[in-house]
Amino acid sequence: MWYEKSSRRILIDLHFPEWDKRILENFNAKQWIDNLIRANVDCGMFYAKDHYGNSYYPTKVGHQHKNLKGRDILGEVIKESKKKGLYTVVYLSLVWDKFVADNHPEWTMKDSKGNNIGQLFSIHICYNSGYKDYFIQQVKELLKRYKFNGFLFDMVNHAQDGCYCKTCKQLFKEKFGYAMPTEQTWDERWGGFLEFRYSSNQRFAEDVVAEIKKISPETSVFFNYHGHPPYSWDMGMRPFQHSRFNDYNCCETYPSEEGVIHPSRGARFLEGLGKTFGIFIGRFNRAWDYTTKPIPQLKWEVFTALANGANHVSLIDQPFHDGRLDEVVYNRLSPVYKEVKEKIALFRGMPIKHVALYYSVKTRDWYGREKSDRYLISFNGAFKSLLESHLPTDIIFDETISLEKLKEYPLLFLANVAILSEEEVEIFKDYVAQGGSLVATYETGLYDEYGRARKDFALAELFGANYAGKTEFEYNYIKMGQDILGKGIEEENYVLVIGPGCLVRNCAEAHGQLWVSFFNRTHEKFFSHNMHPPFKSVGPAIIVNQYGKGRVIYVPCRLAASYGSRYILPEHRKIMYNLVKYLVGEPPITVIAPINAEVSVREAPYGKGYIVHLIGFNAVKGLRGFPRTFEEYIAPMMEEFVPYWADIKIGINFSKVKMFRRNGEIHLNGNIARVYCQDVHEAVIIKKK
């Protein structure tokens, strides 16, 4: 399919209102496509309809932007694209349509009080309303009029507060036999509400896809995806469920909004869904300002996505008010996409299977609830730790878990997966009993599928420990002493971890100590403005247990969450690295590099060896305003590249080690290859004997 061949895409944002006659007055399709060609783009994504409901072609279904006066600018860019051999994708806004909201208020999502959800152009449209037929008619109109490669629909999301429109309430009552709950009760009835939202989104998308495929089976369909972190149940998407109706997947990754791990996490998350995927990045430094990122920043985001399994990268641009494209964007993008074109074959291999990081949508929904970070802080902290430790890590999902899937990995990491079903428990037991290794933290398995507390860990037999309550205060400490799992940490170091922690009894093999603080920091009882120091030991910091042929490590405190918090410490990362290495040793290719360098090791084509991707990042130093009413921070931005080194330890029989392009240097000493990297992305090819 075309989308498996395309790697360098542009989406040109065109959410343009009608309040000024100068809007779009200088649009020129040739100027657009000339810029795309100069920037080495191979696919252009162009607007048929925006969030305002304005169409950019003469439509008989919706409302054409009045400034166009009947002009077909969508047709013009498609025609120019075909002349230059570009793939073309047609964009339609889906969940937001101001024209529809104004003219069909009965089609909008309602909150529990009957009010529209959203404001201005972002009033949400209901998926169970007559809007579905209207939207399908727009899609059919486009298929009849133009020849293009695919659709991009933005987006099949929900609104947190709804929908409580008349149709939804009637359909809900018919399906579940009781009235739609209007409060977050987090019980079986609320479970029906969540399921109704999920199924409404899915049904809408599947019906639209079915109509498209009837007319044009070769036309691809993609709904902009928001089933990945940081999004939660309120978006109305489950990770796997709402990726299945797409021909390929793609998600937005904005480091300025979600941090510099977002491009890596987004890519690895989508790769775990088992389908061709890509990543959206923005031309703007902050998500929606009007700036242009420096070339090193663009290179870092693009090659981070590709090195983590993305099939393509799509840059989101926005024209000037009059419709002209900003030439600077394409001047900067040109060398980046040229490098992608030269290197694309390097990114097609599968990753080494070493650590499987578990993502639990049940825990996200029923434990995180209205505060999704209650779970995601642990997931993010574990991911960041494994990423910065350069350990090969895939993300797998509770929606698709099986013993066969787990057995592909030496180690499973459960970062505060608080909710586990009985089926999951049995799968994990079988996995470990047959030789797998498992790491679990904090409240893993302490709640049932509705978020109700259990009396003991569901995995107590695996942990070699029973639950005995919680520590009293909000901060705790770990002291590892001379323990092997504390390698690299000073013997007397008290390592702060956010609390509370779990108290345990009947422990198997204990390591280190969990210490509580002297008291909570309060205005009445405090030492200056400081946090209280460690006071006394209340149990082990880490428990190791043998179960069948495998081993389990349970960490009763919030170790992973601490590495995702404001109290992040290198000791958190070192301990988690030690746990993995203690259980399963090193992967066949081990990389030692600075933590600002990302590593992705993937199999070379046809099983001929491995390709080590090294990606360097160094952010411009940020500022934080004080007092906090000032600007909070400067978004992470990479203005220039700083060279760095990496040591690659090769644990296989190999015949040759070389860099793809000798921008830097490589020196081989036995089975250690030292690489001096002189560009944002470097690839080292290791050939098997």
Side-chain angles (χ1 to χ4, degrees):
M1 296 298 292
W2 77 269
Y3 51 80
E4 294 173 330
K5 302 172 186 176
S6 168
S7 59
R8 309 173 307 279
R9 306 183 191 179
I10 286 285
L11 171 63
I12 302 176
D13 248 2
L14 211 64
H15 301 294
F16 279 12
E18 302 173 313
W19 52 267
D20 193 296
K21 65 181 181 180
R22 292 168 293 186
I23 294 173
L24 291 172
E25 65 179 352
N26 289 321
F27 170 84
N28 184 306
K30 188 175 184 302
Q31 191 251 355
W32 275 33
I33 304 308
D34 284 349
N35 273 287
L36 268 59
I37 294 299
R38 183 161 50 85
N40 294 291
V41 169
D42 64 18
C43 174
M45 295 179 277
F46 309 117
Y47 273 42
K49 186 190 76 168
D50 65 14
H51 291 342
Y52 293 98
N54 296 328
S55 294
Y56 294 90
Y57 68 100
T59 177
K60 294 181 180 180
V61 179
H63 166 74
Q64 185 179 24
H65 197 294
K66 71 178 184 180
N67 288 13
L68 297 183
K69 299 176 181 178
R71 182 181 177 185
D72 185 1
I73 68 172
L74 173 63
E76 291 177 29
V77 292
I78 290 176
K79 182 179 179 179
E80 289 294 325
S81 295
K82 288 187 178 298
K83 287 181 183 178
K84 300 296 185 179
L86 296 180
Y87 298 114
T88 52
V89 171
V90 170
Y91 170 105
L92 286 92
S93 178
L94 196 163
V95 70
W96 294 320
D97 187 319
K98 186 177 186 301
F99 175 77
V100 163
D102 290 344
N103 289 275
H104 290 279
E106 73 277 13
W107 291 356
T108 61
M109 285 192 189
K110 309 293 185 183
D111 64 20
S112 59
K113 296 179 181 178
N115 301 314
N116 282 343
I117 298 174
Q119 57 184 336
L120 301 176
F121 70 79
S122 61
I123 294 175
H124 286 68
I125 311 299
C126 177
Y127 302 115
N128 290 318
S129 69
Y131 177 66
K132 180 170 68 175
D133 292 333
Y134 171 87
F135 190 80
I136 288 173
Q137 289 306 310
Q138 288 183 311
V139 166
K140 287 181 175 179
E141 181 180 57
L142 289 161
L143 285 170
K144 182 178 179 180
R145 182 170 297 191
Y146 307 107
K147 293 293 184 183
F148 50 91
N149 297 100
F151 280 110
L152 191 173
F153 299 138
D154 191 19
M155 39 211 167
V156 65
N157 293 350
H158 232 91
Q160 182 174 0
D161 298 329
C163 172
Y164 292 91
C165 74
K166 182 179 179 181
T167 302
C168 282
K169 288 194 292 186
Q170 179 180 338
L171 290 174
F172 184 92
K173 183 70 178 292
E174 291 173 359
K175 182 173 182 178
F176 293 100
Y178 56 89
M180 184 181 289
T182 57
E183 296 181 354
Q184 296 179 18
T185 53
W186 296 104
D187 54 17
E188 288 85 347
R189 298 172 75 86
W190 183 253
F193 178 71
L194 293 184
E195 189 59 46
F196 181 78
R197 289 158 48 93
Y198 290 139
S199 61
S200 294
N201 295 10
Q202 180 180 0
R203 183 171 56 250
F204 179 96
E206 289 177 341
D207 288 351
V208 171
V209 171
E211 292 297 325
I212 292 170
K213 298 299 184 180
K214 283 180 190 176
I215 300 169
S216 179
E218 71 278 6
T219 299
S220 66
V221 185
F222 158 61
F223 293 80
N224 194 6
Y225 180 79
H226 290 85
H228 62 296
Y231 305 108
S232 187
W233 63 268
D234 55 350
M235 299 296 281
M237 282 194 182
R238 288 189 179 115
F240 189 80
Q241 177 183 351
H242 294 88
S243 71
R244 292 299 88 192
F245 42 70
N246 286 328
D247 285 315
Y248 61 91
N249 291 315
C250 199
C251 71
E252 298 170 75
T253 59
Y254 304 128
S256 61
E257 303 298 305
E258 300 299 332
V260 296
I261 71 164
H262 200 25
S264 310
R265 183 186 62 192
R268 296 197 190 189
F269 196 93
L270 263 60
E271 185 170 46
L273 297 173
K275 186 176 285 191
T276 298
F277 74 94
I279 294 295
F280 283 115
I281 66 171
R283 66 159 277 194
F284 312 119
N285 182 42
R286 294 296 286 269
W288 308 116
D289 56 24
Y290 205 87
T291 59
T292 304
K293 288 175 178 172
I295 290 175
Q297 175 80 14
L298 290 170
K299 290 180 75 169
W300 168 69
E301 293 187 44
V302 166
F303 284 102
T304 296
L306 293 173
N308 284 294
N311 167 266
H312 65 271
V313 177
S314 300
L315 181 78
I316 302 175
D317 187 24
Q318 178 189 322
F320 294 117
H321 70 280
D322 63 358
R324 293 175 299 115
L325 294 185
D326 185 344
E327 304 275 343
V328 171
V329 177
Y330 299 87
N331 292 339
R332 294 186 181 182
L333 186 61
S334 179
V336 180
Y337 273 5
K338 181 174 183 286
E339 189 175 340
V340 172
K341 188 176 181 180
E342 294 169 350
K343 292 180 171 180
I344 193 61
L346 297 172
F347 303 105
R348 295 298 185 238
M350 295 299 293
I352 289 178
K353 295 188 182 300
H354 192 61
V355 178
L357 178 61
Y358 201 63
Y359 186 85
S360 169
V361 70
K362 292 190 295 294
T363 303
R364 181 197 75 174
D365 290 1
W366 290 91
Y367 175 79
R369 301 188 177 186
E370 67 277 2
K371 296 181 180 179
S372 62
D373 202 44
R374 187 184 182 202
Y375 166 57
L376 290 180
I377 190 174
S378 294
F379 177 82
N380 287 337
F383 179 82
K384 177 177 167 62
S385 171
L386 295 164
L387 184 77
E388 292 179 345
S389 298
H390 311 309
L391 291 169
T393 302
D394 291 346
I395 296 171
I396 63 173
F397 305 93
D398 62 341
E399 291 175 88
T400 57
I401 190 62
S402 69
L403 179 59
E404 290 70 27
K405 180 68 175 177
L406 281 185
K407 288 169 71 173
E408 296 177 11
Y409 298 90
L411 186 141
L412 173 65
F413 201 119
L414 305 177
N416 194 24
V417 181
I419 293 179
L420 293 175
S421 67
E422 294 301 324
E423 180 184 8
E424 287 172 290
V425 169
E426 292 308 312
I427 290 173
F428 295 158
K429 285 182 177 180
D430 288 344
Y431 166 71
V432 177
Q434 295 179 33
S437 295
L438 184 147
V439 173
T441 68
Y442 191 40
E443 292 187 307
T444 292
L446 200 50
Y447 296 82
D448 70 13
E449 291 180 81
Y450 288 105
R452 297 173 295 216
R454 291 180 166 118
K455 293 181 179 180
D456 201 356
F457 303 114
L459 297 177
E461 191 177 354
L462 287 184
F463 292 171
N466 297 107
Y467 178 69
K470 292 283 178 61
T471 58
E472 184 179 359
F473 302 140
E474 58 184 325
Y475 301 105
N476 301 304
Y477 298 86
I478 287 177
K479 185 179 181 184
M480 297 305 299
Q482 295 182 334
D483 196 286
I484 188 173
L485 298 179
K487 184 178 179 181
I489 299 171
E490 298 94 333
E491 184 178 342
E492 295 302 321
N493 189 2
Y494 294 93
V495 179
L496 174 70
V497 289
I498 59 175
C502 290
L503 300 171
V504 290
R505 56 185 174 80
N506 303 326
C507 296
E509 181 183 322
H511 291 256
Q513 297 174 332
L514 177 64
W515 286 62
V516 293
S517 58
F518 180 66
F519 207 81
N520 269 342
R521 177 170 51 185
T522 67
H523 289 293
E524 294 81 15
K525 300 175 180 178
F526 71 115
F527 298 161
S528 180
H529 51 272
N530 297 319
M531 192 181 296
H532 280 246
F535 174 51
K536 64 179 180 180
S537 173
V538 292
I542 295 167
I543 299 157
V544 178
N545 187 43
Q546 184 79 33
Y547 185 86
K549 296 179 181 179
R551 290 186 299 174
V552 175
I553 286 180
Y554 171 62
V555 183
C557 67
R558 299 180 70 192
L559 179 64
S562 297
Y563 203 63
S565 77
R566 69 169 62 186
Y567 299 110
I568 181 172
L569 291 169
E571 288 84 356
H572 303 145
R573 181 185 70 252
K574 291 178 181 179
I575 292 172
M576 282 187 274
Y577 174 82
N578 290 341
L579 304 185
V580 174
K581 187 174 180 180
Y582 178 79
L583 288 177
V584 295
E586 296 179 339
I589 307 295
T590 303
V591 181
I592 300 170
I595 63 171
N596 69 303
E598 183 168 338
V599 176
S600 176
V601 183
R602 307 184 80 84
E603 295 178 355
Y606 312 111
K608 293 183 178 180
Y610 295 97
I611 299 175
V612 180
H613 296 283
L614 301 166
I615 305 152
F617 178 79
N618 52 287
V620 171
K621 295 179 176 65
L623 297 173
R624 181 181 173 88
F626 192 85
R628 291 179 176 84
T629 52
F630 296 165
E631 178 73 7
E632 283 290 308
Y633 65 98
I634 292 179
M637 182 181 67
M638 184 175 176
E639 186 175 352
E640 59 187 30
F641 174 75
V642 175
Y644 67 95
W645 61 269
D647 282 343
I648 303 173
K649 183 179 177 182
I650 306 169
I652 62 168
N653 291 325
F654 63 96
S655 61
K656 191 174 183 179
V657 182
K658 67 175 184 177
M659 298 180 73
F660 177 73
R661 284 196 316 202
R662 294 189 63 86
N663 292 341
E665 299 178 18
I666 185 167
H667 303 282
L668 187 62
N669 182 10
N671 69 332
I672 306 292
R674 169 153 287 201
V675 183
Y676 295 93
C677 301
Q678 299 293 328
D679 205 345
V680 173
H681 172 256
E682 298 281 8
V684 177
I685 301 168
I686 303 169
K687 291 190 175 182
K688 285 183 179 178
K689 275 189 178 179

